[in-house]
Amino acid sequence: MKISYHWLKQYSDISIPASKVAELLTHCGLEVSSVEKYQIVKGGLEGLVIGDDWIFEIELTPNRIDAASHIGVARDLLAVLSCCTDLQSVRQTTDYKFVAQVPSIENFQIDNHERKIDVNVENTEACPRYSGITIT
């Protein structure tokens, strides 16, 4: 799975070099098999902020579906940063709160109530709550 360093920084507000992020992710169980420099604008516009990104190739195992997105990977990275006392050198400040900055859903609106799906929960002890959504 490919993960953008630029996107991780948007969700986690970190200022850690890409090589250190790759090391931390590997240590927390998300094996980074490669880190590649990616030029958004082809043709060698080196040095321009808009032209560079780092792409992590993560070997995701089936039991880690929680990390199958940029937000999931950012959460793992922040968990490692918040609990490891030997990482003081990569923390921005000692009182920094390591919380993922997820995108706002305030503009999401339900605009169609026509597609009702009937659900029958046969065992309410095994399934105390069920929810779903229809996307059109």
Side-chain angles (χ1 to χ4, degrees), residues 6 13-14 23 42 45 47 49 60 63-64 70 85 92 94 96 104 107 118 136:
H6 179 73
D13 191 27
I14 56 169
E23 179 185 330
K42 301 296 181 195
L45 295 176
V49 176
L60 194 62
N63 65 324
R64 290 304 315 270
H70 281 81
T85 57
Q92 292 178 338
T94 54
Y96 182 75
S104 172
N107 292 330
D118 293 322
T136 57

Side-chain angles (χ1 to χ4, degrees), residues 45-118:
L45 295 176
E46 304 228 0
L48 294 178
V49 176
I50 61 162
D52 297 334
D53 192 4
W54 292 95
I55 304 297
F56 303 106
E57 182 69 41
I58 296 178
E59 301 297 327
L60 194 62
T61 56
N63 65 324
R64 290 304 315 270
I65 196 65
D66 60 307
S69 68
H70 281 81
I71 294 173
V73 173
R75 286 180 181 156
D76 273 22
L77 178 60
L78 293 172
V80 170
L81 290 171
S82 66
C83 74
C84 298
T85 57
D86 62 332
L87 297 173
Q88 291 293 335
S89 62
V90 297
R91 294 182 181 191
Q92 292 178 338
T93 63
T94 54
D95 62 345
Y96 182 75
K97 295 194 182 340
F98 295 94
V99 178
Q101 300 169 355
V102 296
S104 172
I105 59 169
E106 67 183 28
N107 292 330
F108 177 77
Q109 296 177 6
I110 299 172
D111 59 357
N112 184 344
H113 296 275
E114 305 285 322
R115 298 190 183 256
K116 182 179 176 191
I117 299 173
D118 293 322

